Amino acid sequence: MNKSQLPKDLQTIIGNEELDFAVYAKRNQPKALSYGIILFALFWLALPSIGAYAFFSPLFKGEEVHFESNDIPTTASLDNLEPMIVPSLLLLLFMAIGLGMLVWGIIMLTKKGGFFVGTETRLINYRNGTIKYFDWEQFTGNTELNINKKNISLEMRRGKMRSKKNGPDKFIPEILHISGVENLLKIERFCRQRIKENDPTPTLNSEANSN
């Protein structure tokens, strides 16, 4: 993809910079991540659904429901549904969370990644009028390539700490995904070259040695 095929706003942002590559990512993230969210949402929905069936099924048979509320034995029936209000609301809350995750997973599965443009100094992502810039020095150089699924994952230097119960906190780096693109090897080669050229580590080491 050459510069003339890119959106006008993106062309303006690029200016006179030479393009290493320009591609359109069909997905915002790898399908496996979206499938993981969807499967977890279905599992989450299954639990309150089973609980709701077990809880309400006696009512459909004209029987009473016996349960404990605040450690007090409670009985509910079609003629007395008030004791079931709080348990019903809790089940609905869990189901709403599951539905929300399911919708989120489906949205992420169908969400486009937008345009990715690599230049000598930066990586630019343009999607739905929003532009994000990534200087090459923000990446560590650790890259994962999936030829079959047409995904490139670039590890970033920023991220967050994750606490562990039985060990020290672990740093989890952010990952930038370029998913559903062609010419993966060519794009990966350009990315690796630019990240290496802009790696701040050699500069820091040389300064330390000079001091």
Side-chain angles (χ1 to χ4, degrees):
M1 185 178 294
N2 55 51
K3 188 180 295 186
S4 63
Q5 296 174 288
L6 301 175
K8 295 295 182 182
D9 291 343
L10 183 54
Q11 293 183 38
T12 301
I13 294 299
I14 296 171
N16 295 324
E17 291 186 77
E18 294 293 330
L19 303 186
D20 286 340
F21 62 86
V23 293
Y24 184 81
K26 297 178 182 179
R27 295 183 296 276
N28 188 57
Q29 63 180 20
K31 287 183 177 180
L33 297 179
S34 300
Y35 289 147
I37 296 173
I38 292 173
L39 289 175
F40 183 78
L42 292 174
F43 174 76
W44 185 282
L45 279 171
L47 295 179
S49 298
I50 295 172
Y53 175 78
F55 190 64
F56 290 106
S57 59
L59 294 179
F60 301 131
K61 301 175 184 178
E63 301 174 355
E64 294 180 336
V65 176
H66 300 276
F67 60 98
E68 289 189 359
S69 178
N70 296 324
D71 296 327
I72 300 175
T74 305
T75 300
S77 65
L78 291 175
D79 297 325
N80 182 26
L81 295 174
E82 185 175 349
M84 303 184 69
I85 293 177
V86 174
S88 299
L89 290 176
L90 289 175
L91 287 171
L92 286 174
L93 175 61
F94 278 96
M95 294 186 72
I97 294 174
L99 285 173
M101 290 190 295
L102 180 61
V103 171
W104 179 37
I106 294 173
I107 290 175
M108 295 306 296
L109 183 63
T110 58
K111 190 176 184 180
K112 305 299 183 182
F115 294 91
F116 281 90
V117 176
T119 72
E120 182 179 356
T121 60
R122 55 186 174 166
L123 178 64
I124 305 171
N125 176 219
Y126 177 90
R127 180 168 56 85
N128 297 331
T130 300
I131 299 178
K132 295 181 180 180
Y133 308 91
F134 304 92
D135 293 333
W136 290 116
E137 63 185 26
Q138 295 183 49
F139 299 96
T140 65
N142 294 331
T143 304
E144 183 177 322
L145 209 62
N146 191 315
I147 302 295
N148 294 330
K149 297 181 180 179
K150 301 180 180 180
N151 297 326
I152 301 176
S153 300
L154 303 174
E155 183 181 277
M156 304 192 70
R157 298 184 184 277
R158 68 190 187 198
K160 59 182 178 181
M161 300 299 296
R162 178 175 295 175
S163 299
K164 284 189 172 183
K165 292 184 179 180
N166 301 320
D169 293 349
K170 183 179 180 181
F171 177 74
I172 306 298
E174 289 186 21
I175 304 295
L176 178 67
H177 300 286
I178 306 177
S179 301
V181 296
E182 303 293 338
N183 300 319
L184 290 183
L185 294 177
K186 181 178 180 180
I187 295 171
E188 188 274 338
R189 185 174 69 252
F190 276 119
C191 290
R192 180 160 35 86
Q193 175 186 344
R194 295 307 184 190
I195 292 171
K196 185 176 181 180
E197 291 173 351
N198 292 273
D199 185 0
T201 306
T203 303
L204 294 176
N205 290 338
S206 61
E207 290 179 355
N209 293 332
S210 63
N211 292 333

